[in-house]
Amino acid sequence: MTRRHLTLICIAALALSWAWLPEFTVTMFSYIGLYSMVAAGLVMLTGIGGMTSFGQAAFVAIGAYATAWVCTSPAAAAALGGFVPAGALPWVGLVLGLVLTFAVAWALGAITLKLSGHYLPLCTIAWGLSLYFLFGNLEFLGGQTGITGLPALTVAGLSLASPRALGPLIWAALLLALWALHNLLDSREGRAIRALKSGRVMAESMGVDTARYRVKVFVLAALLAALSGWLYAHMQRFVNPTPFNLNIGIEYLFMAVVGGAGHLWGAVLGATLITLVKEQLQDILPKLLGASGNFEVIVFGLLMLFVLQRFADGLWPTLARWSSRFLKPEPVRAPKSTASLAGRTLPPAGTLLLESDKVTKRFGGLVANNAVAMTLKAGEVHALIGPNGAGKSTFFNMISGVDDPTEGEVRLIGETMNGKPSRDYAARGLGRTFQHVRLLGTRTVLENVAVGAHRRGRHGWIASMLRLDRAEEAALLAEARRQIERCGLGAYADVPAASLALGQQRVVEIARALAGQPAALLLDEPAAGLRHLEKQALATLLSQLRAEGLGILIVEHDMEFVMNLADRITVLEFGTVIAEGTPAEVQVNPRVLDAYLGGSDEPVPMAA
Ligand code: ADP
Ligand code: MG
C-alpha cells in the first residue's frame, strides 16, 4: 500500500460512514474541513513561500460577509434587479467574495510583501486588525451584531442546511483544493514558488519574477480563506465579526505550523488536532478547575510551546517518517516527453556578448570595483583573477543584474542593461553560478537544475493545477537530467542537493545554469572544493562548451586550472584592473607578480 492508496481509503471510509456518524462528529468534521482550507493556504504562503501572515481570518471574513450581504441586503436585491433567483444568490455571493478578496489581497500584497523580516508579519497583524474593526463598524454589515437570516446553500435542488448535508461539499472543495495545490507544487511554477523562501536571488537569476510570485501566492492563500468563509457563512447561517478576530488569525497560523508548515496534508493534520484539542479543553478544564473561564487558551498556548519545541517542522514530517515503515514509496510516474522547449540560437563565435564600460561600485567609502572595463566574446573562456577581496564577486553581481553599478554601463549582446533586474539578463542569455552556492537543499538535484530551465517553459499556475503542463514538464525534467548527466552527476540526480559535497554542489549550479541554455556563462569559483579528477572533468566540460560557442567568464583561484583553460585573463586588485592578456602575457606581467607575490622574494604559488 502506498500513501496515495491510504489517502484514498481514508477518504472513502469517511464518505461511506458519513450518514451514520453522530451529529456532533459530523459538525466537527465540517469545521475541520473549513479550517484546513485556510491552513492549506497558509502552508503555501508561510511554510513553502516563507511569508508569515497572521491576518488570514480577515479574508475568511470577506468571503463570509460578501455572501451574507448579497443574500440578505435589500440593496443587493435591488442591484440584482430580480434577475437572479433566490437559490442562486449564494453563488453570486461566492463570486463577489472571491473578486473582492482578489482585489484586496492583490493590493495589500503588492504593498506589504515588499517588506522583509519582521515587518511583514507585523503588517499582516495591522491589516488583520483593521479589517476586523472595519467589519464591526460598518452599519450596512450589521456592526457588532452582524447579519442573520442567511439561506442554506442549494445544489441541484438539494438543500444543504445541516452540516451533514453541507459537509460533503466542504470536503469536496478541500480535497479539490489540495489536489490542485499538490499539482501546482509539482510543476515548473511550484519549483519557483519553493524558491521564494530561501532562494530569491537565485530564482531571479534563473528568470523568475519573485515579487510577482509572492503576490500570487498571497492572493491564492487569500482566495482559499475566502472560499472557507463563504462555506462557513452558509453553515452558520449568520455572520458577525467575532470569528474573524486576530486570535483566530493566529490560530490558523498555528494549525499550519503545528501540522507541518511545508506540507499540504500538514494543514489538515494541524486543523484536526487544534480543533479537537480546543474542543476537549473547553469541555474538561471547567470541570477540572470547578470554575468557568477561558482556561483553554492558556493550556492551549503551553501545548503549542511544547509541540513547537519538540517538532520544529511540525508533526507531519514525523508522522510521514513513521508511516513510511508501513507504506511503500510512491512509484515514480515519469510522463512521456512530447513537448519541445523554447530554444536559443547561440550567436556566432567572436560575437561580443558582455561588455562592462567603466563599471564602478562603491559600498559607502569602499570602492569594490573601480572603472572596470572588460569584454566577453562568444566561444572564449575569459578568466577574472585577483586576490581575495579584489572585487571579483562584486563585479559578477554588477554584470548579472544582481546589484546595480554605482557608475558605468553594462551591455549584454548589444543592449544596455543598467537598472534591469537579473531575470532580464537571464532572458537575454546570461547564466551564472554563485560563489556561495544557492541551492534548495532539501529538493533533489533534478528539481534544482530544472529551476534553471524555468524560462523555457510556458505553462502557468492554472495549467499546472489542472495538470495540463505534463508534456512540457516532462521535457523540462528531461532537459535538466541531460545537463546533470553532462556535468557528470547523473548518479545523484534524485538525491537532495544538500547531501552532495560542496564541490559537487557547485557543479549542480553549473548544470542549473546550462539548463537555461545561456549564451554567456558566469562561473564564480566553480573548481573550489573539487578533487583533481573532478577538476579535469570540469575543464573538459568547459572546453566543450566553448567549442559549442558559449562565452565563459570564470573566477577561479586554481592557477593551473585557469592557465590551462583560459584564452584571456583579466587581473583585478583592490577593485582595479591591473593587467589583461593571454595567460602567457599575464604570467610575466610585473604588476601581477607584484600583486600576487606582494613584493616578497619568496616563491609563493600564484593562488590567493
Ligand atoms: P572577491 O570576490 O574578489 O573575493 P568581493 O567582490 O567579494 O571580492 O569583495 C570586494 C570588496 O567589497 C571586499 O572588501 C568586500 O568586503 C566588499 N564588499 C562586498 N560586498 C559588500 C557589501 N554588500 N557591502 C559592503 N562591502 C562589500
Ligand atoms: Mg568572491
Side-chain angles (χ1 to χ4, degrees):
M1 192 160 65
T2 67
R3 189 168 300 158
R4 182 189 297 253
H5 293 144
L6 183 64
T7 312
L8 291 176
I9 289 172
C10 288
I11 294 169
L14 183 62
L16 290 174
S17 61
W18 190 257
W20 288 276
L21 291 175
E23 198 60 42
F24 176 76
T25 314
V26 162
T27 309
M28 276 318 236
F29 263 118
S30 301
Y31 277 116
I32 289 171
L34 292 173
Y35 296 151
S36 300
M37 218 176 281
V38 186
L42 275 173
V43 163
M44 295 294 293
L45 185 67
T46 305
I48 295 171
M51 295 161 270
T52 307
S53 168
F54 290 99
Q56 292 313 96
F59 295 121
V60 183
I62 296 180
Y65 268 103
T67 194
W69 180 78
V70 167
C71 292
T72 59
S73 121
L80 293 168
F83 292 127
V84 183
L89 281 177
W91 301 96
V92 177
L94 173 63
V95 173
L96 179 69
L98 292 179
V99 169
L100 270 179
T101 303
F102 190 95
V104 172
W106 197 284
L108 277 178
I111 301 166
T112 42
L113 296 179
K114 293 211 177 80
L115 304 173
S116 56
H118 301 308
Y119 296 109
L120 174 61
L122 279 178
C123 236
T124 66
I125 293 177
W127 53 250
L129 279 175
S130 328
L131 284 175
Y132 166 69
F133 282 108
L134 184 69
F135 284 114
N137 287 315
L138 286 179
E139 211 49 61
F140 76 101
L141 295 180
Q144 287 298 330
T145 348
I147 300 175
T148 54
L150 265 76
L153 290 179
T154 49
V155 175
L158 212 66
S159 165
L160 309 181
S162 66
R164 199 179 297 276
L166 187 61
L169 181 67
I170 293 174
W171 274 81
L174 172 65
L175 291 172
L176 209 63
L178 289 177
W179 176 76
L181 294 179
H182 169 86
N183 292 346
L184 176 62
L185 287 175
D186 179 32
S187 75
R188 153 185 182 271
E189 299 289 44
R191 284 188 289 274
I193 293 171
R194 288 187 196 280
L196 296 179
K197 192 171 183 176
S198 61
R200 287 178 68 192
V201 172
M202 176 276 288
E204 282 280 336
S205 290
M206 301 302 138
V208 181
D209 185 346
T210 56
R212 191 178 163 80
Y213 273 68
R214 272 160 68 92
V215 174
K216 280 169 85 170
V217 178
F218 186 72
V219 171
L220 178 67
L223 288 176
L224 283 167
L227 178 63
S228 171
W230 176 72
L231 288 161
Y232 175 82
H234 288 287
M235 188 160 99
Q236 293 279 344
R237 312 281 289 279
F238 70 87
V239 292
N240 67 3
T242 317
F244 312 118
N245 65 23
L246 189 61
N247 274 356
I248 311 292
I250 294 173
E251 228 160 73
Y252 284 130
L253 192 60
F254 269 149
M255 289 177 188
V257 173
V258 166
H263 306 265
L264 289 173
W265 281 104
V268 182
L269 178 67
T272 309
L273 283 178
I274 288 187
T275 310
L276 293 183
V277 167
K278 241 179 79 173
E279 175 63 34
Q280 289 297 318
L281 287 179
Q282 266 167 359
D283 235 30
I284 296 170
L285 284 179
K287 285 183 203 150
L288 215 62
L289 299 171
S292 61
N294 293 341
F295 300 116
E296 78 275 2
V297 180
I298 302 166
V299 179
F300 193 68
L302 293 174
L303 268 178
M304 282 308 103
L305 212 66
F306 169 75
V307 171
L308 294 182
Q309 277 276 325
R310 288 289 308 273
F311 306 93
D313 294 329
L315 295 168
W316 184 258
T318 311
L319 188 69
R321 223 173 302 127
W322 173 77
S323 70
S324 65
R325 281 195 243 159
F326 317 104
L327 299 175
K328 278 195 293 193
E330 214 64 59
V332 184
R333 261 176 274 235
K336 294 198 178 52
S337 173
T338 48
S340 59
L341 297 177
R344 183 196 312 281
T345 10
L346 291 181
T351 310
L352 194 56
L353 296 177
L354 194 63
E355 211 179 341
S356 83
D357 192 0
K358 300 207 190 73
V359 164
T360 297
K361 180 66 179 180
R362 291 195 196 90
F363 294 114
L366 180 92
V367 185
N369 286 163
N370 182 12
V372 178
M374 194 224 57
T375 60
L376 176 68
K377 297 199 185 88
E380 72 164 352
V381 174
H382 189 153
L384 185 63
I385 65 171
N388 267 327
K392 306 180 295 294
S393 294
T394 303
F395 184 64
F396 261 37
N397 288 342
M398 296 300 116
I399 57 174
S400 63
V402 169
D403 205 350
D404 267 329
T406 317
E407 284 157 34
E409 196 176 297
V410 178
R411 286 185 288 276
L412 182 60
I413 319 186
E415 190 166 306
T416 302
M417 300 300 285
N418 289 52
K420 292 192 177 166
S422 56
R423 58 176 185 275
D424 286 3
Y425 286 70
R428 243 186 122 63
L430 187 96
R432 69 163 294 179
T433 65
F434 295 89
Q435 178 179 0
H436 304 287
V437 286
R438 292 177 188 259
L439 295 172
L440 307 176
T442 57
R443 312 309 301 176
T444 64
V445 169
L446 184 70
E447 284 172 275
N448 271 285
V449 174
V451 175
H454 181 84
R455 274 193 48 267
R456 300 175 66 188
R458 286 287 161 266
H459 286 297
W461 287 39
I462 306 279
S464 302
M465 285 183 182
L466 299 176
R467 280 267 186 263
L468 301 175
D469 64 333
R470 290 297 94 183
E472 181 187 276
E473 171 71 359
L476 287 172
L477 292 180
E479 169 67 6
R481 203 173 281 275
R482 199 170 70 83
Q483 299 300 348
I484 293 169
E485 275 161 13
R486 178 176 207 195
C487 294
L489 291 176
Y492 302 99
D494 299 304
V495 304
S499 67
L500 268 59
L502 200 58
Q504 290 174 320
Q505 294 188 23
R506 292 179 183 288
V507 179
V508 173
E509 289 224 330
I510 299 176
R512 184 178 64 197
L514 289 177
Q517 226 190 17
L521 186 60
L522 270 47
L523 306 176
D524 202 347
E525 304 199 15
L530 291 186
R531 285 177 296 217
H532 185 64
L533 283 179
E534 293 171 327
K535 278 188 189 177
Q536 280 182 346
L538 178 62
T540 312
L541 172 69
L542 296 184
S543 309
Q544 206 181 342
L545 292 172
R546 163 172 57 192
E548 286 171 20
L550 263 78
I552 302 172
L553 182 65
I554 180 172
V555 165
E556 186 48 60
H557 282 309
D558 183 331
M559 284 306 136
E560 193 191 331
F561 187 88
V562 167
M563 295 300 164
N564 287 331
L565 185 68
D567 302 297
R568 279 194 299 152
I569 297 177
T570 297
V571 189
L572 270 187
E573 192 194 20
F574 299 123
T576 309
V577 176
I578 56 166
E580 210 238 272
T582 65
E585 288 164 1
V586 164
Q587 263 169 322
V588 294
N589 184 310
R591 281 195 71 184
V592 176
L593 289 175
D594 202 42
Y596 271 90
L597 304 178
S600 104
D601 301 328
E602 301 230 354
V604 185
M606 251 178 90

